Amino acid sequence: MGQYLIRRLALIAVTLGGLSVLTFAISRIAPGDPARLAAGPQATEAMVAHLRHEFGLDRPVWVQYGRYLDHVGRGDLGVSLMTARPVRADLGLFFGATLELVLFSLLFAAAAGVLLGVLSAVYQNRPVDHASRLVAITGLGMPEFWLALMLQLALASHFRLLPLGGQLGIGVAPPPPATRLDLVDSLLAGQWATFANALQHIVLPAIALSFPALASIIRISRADMLDTLPREFVRTARAKGLPQRAVILRHALRNALLSSVTMIGLRFGWMLGGTVLVEKVFDWPGIGLYMVTAAAASDFEPVMGVTLLVGLSFALATLLVDIGYGLMDPTIRYA
């Protein structure tokens, strides 16, 4: 296990290195002059040239990249021209909102996906199976931003059942930032009204973000359960006279969950990198909205910082999934 972890961590470092090259190259190819943006519209050419020299933009590209790697290695992701704050501080400020949205969405997708997948397999070719497969097909083919807009139009604008956007309502004070997850922090502080308000605001973006994951989990859970139910140990459990619920939950489901757990873990990384459109539609103050706003302003330091953070999170999530898979299945050996 130790050697396996060392190899995987080395591979993560190589992956992040390649990602840094890609994002740095895009930031230099993309139109826009960071020095002119920082100087402002009234700046003279001399002032722009001074800032370009100060930022090191007048040096060769390989020198700029080496300087960038040196700063990243020291935890310095640069300064956002848009917020005039270090990108590292901005990520600490906005990452909590994205993480809360992703975790809530993933929890909903995992619980509903496994439940529908199991019911679909147990009651194969019955109405619940047809309904589950319809949800799966729809979720795989429906764009997240379109679903987000439809949810806003139907449940927020027309029926006014849930808020249109934002993380908290206007005039609602955020809870003390113990974890920077408003749902958790409001519970820790005993602010039940704030918790209820935060829960109402997260429902629509969570549904929009979780739908593709829900569809994938339904399909995998159903397929694994259909493969597990006819097996010998399941038939033996039934022959012993165990109740149907015990056969499904204690015997069939435990052995069919391996692929579902893998998909759930991988979906965490995909969701983390896919919140951009959902956060934009619902004005959710996370790293996705932060990156889109920065990119629109040709402020590339935040874009590069968010990309590295999402890449690292995805790589670590994949590593944890592989380790968890081995813990759930003792026959797996790490080589």
Side-chain angles (χ1 to χ4, degrees):
M1 174 65 77
Q3 295 180 352
Y4 174 78
L5 288 177
I6 291 174
R7 287 198 300 270
R8 288 297 301 271
L9 292 175
L11 182 60
I12 289 175
V14 172
T15 302
L16 292 179
L19 190 61
S20 70
V21 172
L22 181 62
T23 55
F24 184 84
I26 292 176
S27 70
R28 294 302 182 266
I29 295 173
D33 187 351
R36 184 170 294 280
L37 178 65
Q42 306 299 326
T44 63
E45 289 298 327
M47 296 171 62
V48 174
H50 175 75
L51 284 178
R52 189 176 289 114
H53 177 73
E54 183 178 342
F55 292 158
L57 298 175
D58 56 348
R59 300 180 183 180
V61 176
W62 58 86
V63 175
Q64 296 180 41
Y65 179 68
R67 180 183 180 187
Y68 171 70
L69 281 185
D70 179 61
H71 287 184
V72 171
R74 292 186 278 110
D76 180 11
L77 298 176
V79 176
S80 170
L81 302 178
M82 178 180 59
T83 64
R85 293 191 302 260
V87 173
R88 181 177 175 180
D90 283 342
L91 293 180
L93 183 64
F94 297 121
F95 183 69
T98 296
L99 181 62
E100 181 177 52
L101 177 59
V102 168
L103 291 177
F104 191 90
S105 303
L106 189 62
L107 180 63
F108 169 75
V114 171
L115 176 61
L116 291 176
V118 170
L119 292 175
S120 182
V122 173
Y123 301 102
Q124 187 180 10
N125 296 325
R126 297 184 185 179
V128 65
D129 182 26
H130 298 318
S132 298
R133 284 189 288 175
L134 179 61
V135 171
I137 294 172
T138 304
L140 292 175
M142 183 182 297
E144 293 178 1
F145 71 90
W146 185 86
L147 177 60
L149 291 173
M150 292 303 102
L151 289 173
Q152 276 189 333
L153 288 174
L155 299 180
S157 297
H158 185 70
F159 293 105
R160 299 186 183 278
L161 297 177
L162 292 168
L164 188 64
Q167 191 177 14
L168 288 173
I170 298 176
V172 178
T179 64
R180 295 199 179 278
L181 309 178
D182 281 356
L183 289 173
V184 177
D185 291 342
S186 57
L187 285 178
L188 293 177
Q191 299 177 356
W192 306 109
T194 303
F195 174 80
N197 188 269
L199 187 61
Q200 291 174 353
H201 280 77
I202 202 174
V203 169
L204 291 186
I207 292 175
L209 183 63
S210 66
F211 216 63
L214 172 65
S216 299
I217 295 171
I218 288 175
R219 294 186 63 191
I220 289 181
S221 299
R222 181 182 184 273
D224 287 346
M225 283 295 292
L226 288 176
D227 181 64
T228 304
L229 287 174
R231 292 191 178 182
E232 187 69 29
F233 66 89
V234 176
R235 293 201 300 267
T236 302
R238 285 199 176 102
K240 290 180 179 180
L242 293 177
Q244 175 76 350
R245 182 177 179 181
V247 173
I248 298 299
L249 297 180
R250 288 165 49 187
H251 295 273
L253 182 58
R254 289 179 62 182
N255 288 273
L257 272 180
L258 289 177
S259 298
S260 298
V261 169
T262 302
M263 175 56 66
I264 291 169
L266 293 177
R267 275 292 173 180
F268 171 79
W270 292 335
M271 280 182 168
L272 198 61
T275 60
V276 174
L277 294 177
V278 174
E279 289 187 1
K280 182 64 176 177
V281 170
F282 288 100
D283 196 27
W284 189 265
I287 59 173
L289 181 60
Y290 172 63
M291 183 174 69
V292 169
T293 307
S298 299
D299 187 7
F300 296 111
E301 296 291 343
V303 177
M304 297 164 69
V306 170
T307 304
L308 288 178
L309 177 61
V310 172
L312 177 62
S313 300
F314 187 87
L316 292 178
T318 305
L319 176 60
L320 292 177
V321 166
D322 291 341
I323 295 174
Y325 197 91
L327 295 177
M328 293 180 64
D329 187 355
T331 62
I332 294 177
R333 294 292 180 266
Y334 296 99

